[in-house]
């Protein structure tokens, strides 16, 4: 192998496709800069207004804004919606425009820096504790929310103490103090609720714009969920104590006032929230995932009765984030109604199921994407996330998934495949050609940009089935090298910890020499496998089980997965958000003009119900019209690109690959296997530091929390005491932990 070649990244070669490296025009760059500035200005205004709302001067400023805008047909509800919900919707519009202008720009412009540098998003600060591995940027966010809650409680407490000092009776002072502080804790919870639903809008243009994949954003939803429920629980307890002091506890709990806050809907909303909260705690969730999953559907009850509890204008404080979540949920519902054809299905000897599903040719995703899978024969409600194990360059019309049998749902999937084939589990034969599973797919989701291609030096750390996305990464890099596309990685070190040798043949699902025969001239690849529960190689090395050839399933036209969400079309995504929001504004105006004002509707809870109805109808009618047109456009594009009804996947590749491997079914070139031991990351990073020198090195971890913590701890330690000539390691997690 040419040493000079190895130490030079494959940036651009003469055969690079011109369209893949085209530079943005000056007008496009200027437009993106302007959009970024406007987005930041709106975001800072929105966050500052929210965080400083407890201060007297901010409250006065908001009151003046309400007075200035309250003369419109929308009244105070429209004014509060404009101040607290419109900013996040405006940011969504601008984010969609930014993504459209960005187009399909390639990462090749982001060439590796000559001098490594620390990055807030990839530097782990906390590696142990309730938050898991926390980067510097995430730690700043946690601090900001903590400071906000402490500051808000402090400011409200001082204001309340000053107010209750006007009362002489201790009982009156206690009741007034508890009631007002209960109200204040509820208002702080409402502001946290404004952020709570943003991270779980899986295909949101906001997440795509800031390039935060859904598996990372889910953690923020969990953190915000705990904080929000703590605040709402204190809010409810303070009121219960106050009502008990007053001697009207039962009467107040069932009270449903027309003017003012309706208590009974609030009690129902809080009970639903507490059920979701308790069942989402790690001990309960891990013990009974299905209980957590089904209980979490109570979010509909929680939001609906919250709107009845606080009324329309208070609900507007959080309506923007909730509306964006509803938009995403409807789009996911539309996508998930489509049945996706399974091109092939087989059970590998290591207890892993490989599914190859049909996809349209224009569907965009990258090698670190994942999808949510539903099999209706197993459950109509359960959706499970799985990493994509194939590169987008592997095939135009198909996508592969590796599914490890770890729980009840995956065990049923494997048994279903084997039973349909009429074979016992030991024989593990594939599905027959005429059989099919009723499968639906949501996604794909993931990073907007393929960040695994932006490091010249990569460390891929996997635990068990965590190797799946790294197989996609390897395939993607090899395809790019072969086709001459921009690709930075030149040094890749794979560290894989498995329990038994039966899992080793998974490495053979990527036939590197077949994809790119000359890859050793461009790529320096090392694989270190640690078999933790076996002290030595198995004696029967010559009898390696292999997956039986699986018949290819035709992919009928119209049975490929839909591209409505995830990395769906940016223009249509923007139109969907804009049309739904305009529909909401139109419906709110029509209600005010033709119903609320003429009939003198003043019931708070009823107006909250009307607002929820407007949000729902605007999505179904106005957004639904765009989704229908989007679907027609998607169908025509597929037809124009000449979808081939006879596309098949070569399912014999796996066995053919095994014949070129060693007796364990593992690639012999640069693969080192150690038995009865776990990876020593201190030794690993010390070795790589001396070998790679002063560079930026990307570390991607896919595995259990303990593995992530071990890697993050070593990276933090290394980066803090690194020598000048050593690399800076950047921690990236690709683990999905619900």
């Amino acid at each position: 192998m040419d040493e000079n070649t190895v130490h030079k990244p494959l940036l651009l070669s003469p055969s690079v496709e011109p369209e893949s490296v085209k530079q943005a025009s000056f007008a496009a760059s200027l437009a993106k800069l302007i959009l970024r500035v406007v987005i930041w200005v709106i975001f800072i205004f929105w966050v500052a207004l929210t965080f400083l709302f407890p201060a007297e001067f901010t409250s006065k400023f908001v009151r003046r804004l309400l007075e200035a805008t309250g003369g419109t047909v929308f009244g105070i509800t429209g004014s509060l919606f404009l101040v607290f919900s419109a900013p996040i919707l405006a940011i969504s519009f601008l984010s969609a425009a930014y993504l459209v202008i960005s187009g399909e720009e390639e990462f090749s412009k982001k060439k590796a820096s000559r001098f490594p540098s620390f990055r807030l998003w990839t530097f782990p600060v906390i590696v142990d504790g309730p938050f898991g591995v926390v980067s510097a940027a995430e730690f700043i966010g946690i601090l900001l929310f903590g400071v906000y809650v402490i500051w808000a409680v402090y400011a409200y407490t001082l204001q309340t103490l000053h107010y209750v000092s006007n009362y002489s009776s201790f009982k009156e002072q206690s009741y007034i103090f508890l009631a007002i502080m209960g109200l204040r804790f509820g208002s702080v919870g409402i502001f946290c609720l404004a952020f709570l639903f943003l991270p779980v809008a899986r295909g949101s243009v906001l997440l795509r714009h800031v390039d935060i994949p859904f598996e990372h954003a889910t953690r923020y939803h969990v953190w915000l969920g705990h904080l929000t429920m703590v605040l709402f629980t204190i809010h409810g307890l303070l009121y219960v104590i106050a009502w008990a002091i007053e001697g009207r506890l039962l009467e107040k709990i069932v009270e449903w006032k027309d003017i003012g806050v309706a208590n009974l809907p609030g009690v129902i909303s809080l009970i639903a929230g507490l059920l979701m909260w308790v069942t989402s705690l790690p001990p309960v969730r891990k013990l009974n995932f299905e209980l957590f999953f089904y209980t979490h559907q109570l979010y509909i009850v929680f939001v609906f009765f919250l709107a009845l509890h606080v009324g329309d204008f208070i609900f507007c404080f959080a309506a923007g984030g909730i509306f964006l979540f509803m938009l995403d949920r409807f789009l996911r519902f539309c996508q998930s109604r489509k049945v996706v054809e399974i091109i092939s299905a087989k059970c590998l000897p290591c207890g892993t199921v490989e599914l190859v599903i049909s996809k349209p040719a224009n569907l965009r995703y990258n090698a670190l994407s994942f999808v949510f899978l539903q099999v209706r024969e197993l459950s109509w409600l359960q959706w499970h996330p799985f990493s994509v194990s194939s590169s987008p360059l592997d095939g135009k019309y198909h996508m592969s998934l590796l599914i490890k049998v770890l729980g009840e749902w995956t065990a049923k999937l494997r048994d279903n495949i084997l039973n349909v084939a009429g074979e016992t589990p030991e024989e593990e034969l594939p599905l027959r050609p005429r059989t099919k599973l009723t499968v639906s797919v949501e996604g794909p989701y993931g990073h907007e940009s393929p960040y695994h291609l932006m490091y010249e030096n990569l460390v891929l750390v996997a635990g068990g089935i965590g190797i799946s996305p790294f197989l996609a990464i390897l395939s993607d890099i090899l395809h790019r090298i072969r086709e001459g596309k921009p690709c930075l990685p030149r040094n890749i070190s794979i560290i894989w910890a498995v329990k038994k040798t039966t899992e080793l043949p998974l490495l053979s699902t990527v036939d590197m020499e077949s994809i790119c025969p000359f890859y050793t001239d461009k790529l320096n690849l090392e694989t270190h496998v640690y078999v933790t529960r076996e002290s030595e190689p198995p004696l029967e090395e010559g009898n390696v089980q292999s997956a039986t050839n699986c018949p290819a399933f035709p992919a009928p036209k119209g049975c490929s997965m839909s591209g409505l969400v995830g990395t769906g079309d940016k223009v249509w995504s923007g139109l969907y958000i804009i049309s739904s929001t305009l529909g909401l504004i139109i419906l709110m105006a029509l209600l005010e003009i033709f119903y609320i004002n003429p009939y003198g509707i003043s019931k708070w809870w009823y107006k909250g119900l009307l607002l929820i109805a407007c949000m729902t109808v605007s999505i179904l009618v106005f957004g639904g019209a765009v989704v229908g047109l989007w679907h027609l456009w998607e169908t025509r594009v597929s037809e124009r690109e000449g979808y081939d009804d006879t596309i098949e996947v070569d399912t014999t590749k796996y066995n053919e690959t095994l014949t070129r491997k060693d007796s364990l079914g593992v690639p012999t070139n640069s693969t080192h296997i150690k038995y009865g031991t776990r990876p020593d990351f201190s030794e690993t990073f010390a070795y790589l530091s001396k070998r790679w020198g002063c560079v930026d090195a990307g570390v991607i971890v896919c595995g259990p929390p303990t593995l992530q913590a071990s890697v993050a701890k070593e990276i933090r330690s290394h980066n803090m005491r690194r020598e000048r000539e050593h690399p800076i390691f950047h921690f990236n997690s690709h683990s999905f932990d619900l």
Side-chain angles (χ1 to χ4, degrees):
M1 180 170 57
D2 185 358
E3 185 176 352
N4 294 327
T5 303
V6 170
H7 291 279
K8 291 182 181 179
L10 178 67
L11 293 176
L12 297 176
S13 67
S15 60
V16 172
E17 299 175 0
E19 65 271 17
S20 66
V21 294
K22 61 181 180 183
Q23 300 292 322
S25 65
F26 173 77
S29 300
L30 180 61
K32 287 171 59 178
L33 176 62
I34 294 173
L35 286 173
R36 275 199 300 266
V37 171
V38 175
I39 288 173
W40 272 108
V41 169
I42 296 175
F43 179 74
I44 292 173
F45 167 79
W46 181 54
V47 172
L49 189 64
T50 299
F51 277 46
L52 297 177
F53 188 75
E56 289 286 350
F57 70 89
T58 310
S59 299
K60 293 179 180 178
F61 172 73
V62 172
R63 283 196 291 270
R64 290 174 183 172
L65 277 178
L66 296 180
E67 292 172 359
T69 59
T72 65
V73 67
F74 300 100
I76 188 174
T77 301
S79 299
L80 285 170
F81 190 91
L82 178 66
V83 174
F84 291 101
S85 288
I88 193 63
L89 296 177
I91 291 174
S92 298
F93 301 162
L94 297 175
S95 296
Y98 184 91
L99 291 172
V100 170
I101 294 174
S102 298
E104 304 298 328
E105 290 180 8
E106 288 285 338
F107 67 92
S108 58
K109 295 182 295 181
K110 303 178 181 179
K111 296 182 175 64
S113 173
R114 293 179 58 187
F115 304 100
S117 59
F118 290 98
R119 300 166 191 168
L120 293 178
W121 281 108
T122 59
F123 181 74
V125 175
I126 301 175
V127 297
D128 294 311
F131 295 104
V133 179
V134 179
S135 68
E138 293 169 339
F139 182 69
I140 293 172
I142 293 173
L143 283 181
L144 288 176
F145 269 97
V147 168
Y148 164 66
V149 173
I150 295 172
W151 141 252
V153 172
Y154 171 75
Y156 285 142
T157 302
L158 290 182
Q159 295 171 18
T160 306
L161 288 173
H162 176 73
Y163 179 76
V164 300
S165 63
N166 298 323
Y167 294 83
S168 56
S169 169
F170 176 76
K171 183 177 180 180
E172 287 183 330
Q173 288 181 342
S174 301
Y175 173 78
I176 296 297
F177 177 81
L178 290 171
I180 294 179
M181 287 305 297
L183 174 66
R184 297 308 187 189
F185 270 99
S187 66
V188 177
I190 286 287
F191 281 122
C192 291
L193 188 67
F195 295 88
L196 178 63
F197 285 91
L198 294 177
V200 285
R202 297 177 184 172
S204 168
V205 292
L206 287 177
L207 296 183
R208 294 176 63 185
H209 173 65
V210 296
D211 203 14
I212 297 179
F214 176 64
E215 72 269 22
H216 290 185
T218 303
R219 303 172 68 219
Y220 312 148
H221 171 75
V222 172
W223 299 345
L224 285 168
H226 290 316
L227 176 60
T228 303
M229 286 312 304
V230 166
L231 293 170
F232 281 155
T233 302
I234 296 174
H235 159 75
L237 285 176
L238 290 177
Y239 267 110
V240 167
I241 297 171
W243 294 336
I245 292 175
E246 192 183 19
R248 303 171 59 194
L249 178 59
L250 183 59
E251 177 187 345
K252 284 289 187 179
I253 285 178
V254 298
E255 187 177 55
W256 195 315
K257 294 188 292 188
D258 290 337
I259 305 299
V261 173
N263 294 337
L264 184 56
V267 173
I268 296 173
S269 178
L270 181 58
I271 291 174
L274 288 173
L275 287 173
M276 288 191 293
W277 186 27
V278 171
T279 56
S280 69
L281 296 175
V284 180
R285 188 181 71 245
K286 292 179 180 179
L287 184 64
N288 193 332
F289 180 83
E290 289 191 0
L291 177 64
F292 153 74
F293 178 84
Y294 291 123
T295 306
H296 231 64
Q297 309 312 309
L298 289 174
Y299 74 86
I300 300 174
V301 177
F302 174 76
V303 172
F304 178 77
F305 281 96
L306 177 66
L308 301 185
H309 173 56
V310 299
D312 58 336
F313 67 92
I314 297 179
F315 189 73
C316 284
F317 284 86
I322 294 174
F323 185 66
L324 288 177
F325 171 77
M326 292 172 65
L327 283 167
D328 178 75
R329 192 66 191 87
F330 176 68
L331 206 56
R332 285 159 45 198
F333 174 81
C334 294
Q335 185 193 37
S336 63
R337 295 309 91 196
K338 191 171 185 179
V339 175
V340 178
E341 188 75 11
I342 298 179
I343 300 175
S344 71
K346 60 185 174 185
C347 295
L348 305 181
C350 57
T352 299
V353 174
E354 183 182 56
L355 293 182
V356 181
I357 59 177
S358 176
K359 77 172 188 67
N362 62 330
L363 183 73
R364 288 183 57 250
Y365 73 98
N366 63 55
L368 281 171
S369 295
F370 66 94
V371 298
F372 279 80
L373 196 69
Q374 178 208 52
V375 180
R376 298 179 188 177
E377 285 78 6
L378 306 183
S379 173
W380 277 81
L381 295 178
Q382 290 190 41
W383 292 81
H384 293 263
F386 299 103
S387 295
V388 176
S389 60
S390 60
S391 162
L393 301 176
D394 273 332
K396 195 174 182 181
Y397 298 104
H398 70 271
M399 175 189 295
S400 299
L401 307 173
L402 287 176
I403 302 173
K404 180 70 173 178
V405 178
L406 295 174
E408 184 179 350
W409 188 90
T410 51
K412 287 181 179 179
L413 175 63
R414 179 196 59 189
D415 294 343
N416 189 291
I417 294 174
L418 296 174
N419 291 336
V420 168
E423 305 292 339
T424 60
E426 288 73 22
E427 291 175 289
E428 301 204 324
L429 293 180
L431 287 171
R432 289 175 179 171
R434 292 188 178 183
T435 64
K436 73 172 183 177
L437 296 175
T438 309
V439 172
S440 295
V441 178
E442 280 186 14
Y445 304 106
H447 279 277
E448 185 70 13
S449 58
Y451 73 92
H452 62 285
L453 298 174
M454 299 178 184
Y455 295 101
E456 293 183 10
N457 305 273
L458 270 180
V459 184
L460 307 178
V461 184
I465 195 60
I467 195 67
S468 176
F470 299 155
L471 298 177
I473 286 178
L474 282 178
S475 177
D476 196 43
I477 292 173
L478 293 172
H479 277 291
R480 286 178 173 272
I481 291 176
R482 185 189 67 186
E483 298 175 18
K485 292 187 175 182
C487 179
L488 291 183
R490 69 170 185 255
N491 296 309
I492 300 178
S493 179
I494 300 177
I495 303 169
W496 187 26
V498 298
K499 294 179 181 179
K500 297 183 178 180
T501 53
T502 54
E503 299 181 59
L504 298 184
L506 285 177
L507 284 175
S508 303
T509 57
V510 176
D511 187 357
M512 294 181 286
E513 294 180 359
S514 174
I515 296 175
C516 184
F518 57 89
Y519 80 92
T520 53
D521 297 331
K522 300 290 185 178
L523 197 64
N524 186 10
L525 174 65
E526 284 189 355
T527 304
H528 299 268
V529 183
Y530 296 82
V531 184
T532 59
R533 294 190 180 180
E534 293 180 3
S535 58
E536 57 185 13
L539 296 177
E540 60 279 4
E541 291 185 42
N543 301 321
V544 181
Q545 279 188 300
S546 61
T548 307
N549 288 348
C550 188
F553 289 81
K557 186 174 179 179
C559 287
S560 62
M561 62 186 294
S562 171
L564 293 180
V565 297
T567 53
D569 186 86
K570 300 169 183 177
V571 175
W572 283 108
S573 297
L575 290 176
Y576 171 65
I577 296 174
I578 293 173
S579 64
S580 299
T581 305
L582 291 177
L584 174 61
I585 296 171
I586 292 171
L587 290 177
M588 290 174 64
L590 292 176
L591 266 180
E592 289 284 345
I593 296 172
F594 295 105
Y595 183 61
I596 294 177
N597 290 334
Y599 292 93
I601 304 298
S602 59
K603 297 177 181 179
W604 284 24
W605 67 269
Y606 186 55
K607 294 178 74 173
L609 175 63
L610 292 177
L611 178 57
I612 285 286
C614 287
M615 294 167 65
T616 305
V617 173
S618 66
I619 294 172
L620 294 177
V621 176
F622 293 86
V626 174
V627 171
L629 294 174
W630 187 352
H631 175 69
L632 292 175
W633 174 84
E634 187 182 64
T635 303
R636 290 193 175 185
V637 168
S638 296
E639 292 175 350
R640 187 169 61 248
E641 292 188 355
Y643 189 92
D644 187 354
D645 290 358
T646 61
I647 292 296
E648 295 185 351
V649 178
D650 184 8
T651 56
T652 63
K653 179 185 66 175
Y654 184 81
N655 286 335
E656 293 173 355
T657 301
L658 284 181
T659 62
R660 293 190 293 270
K661 312 301 175 184
D662 67 7
S663 59
L664 291 175
V666 181
T668 56
N669 185 27
S670 302
T671 300
H672 311 280
I673 304 177
K674 296 182 180 180
Y675 292 88
T677 183
R678 296 180 182 275
D680 185 342
F681 293 111
S682 176
E683 178 183 325
T684 298
F685 287 114
Y687 166 75
L688 294 177
S689 296
K690 293 178 181 178
R691 183 172 183 181
W692 288 350
C694 187
V695 296
D696 282 308
V699 181
I700 308 177
V701 185
C702 186
T706 52
L707 180 66
Q708 297 179 56
S710 299
V711 176
K713 184 182 296 184
E714 186 57 38
I715 288 177
R716 182 184 64 180
S717 174
H718 172 87
N719 287 346
M720 293 182 68
R721 56 181 174 80
R722 66 179 285 270
E723 298 179 13
R724 187 173 182 180
E725 66 276 8
H726 286 175
I728 293 179
F729 292 99
H730 300 273
F731 179 85
N732 299 274
S733 172
H734 188 66
S735 301
F736 199 105
D737 183 27
L738 275 180

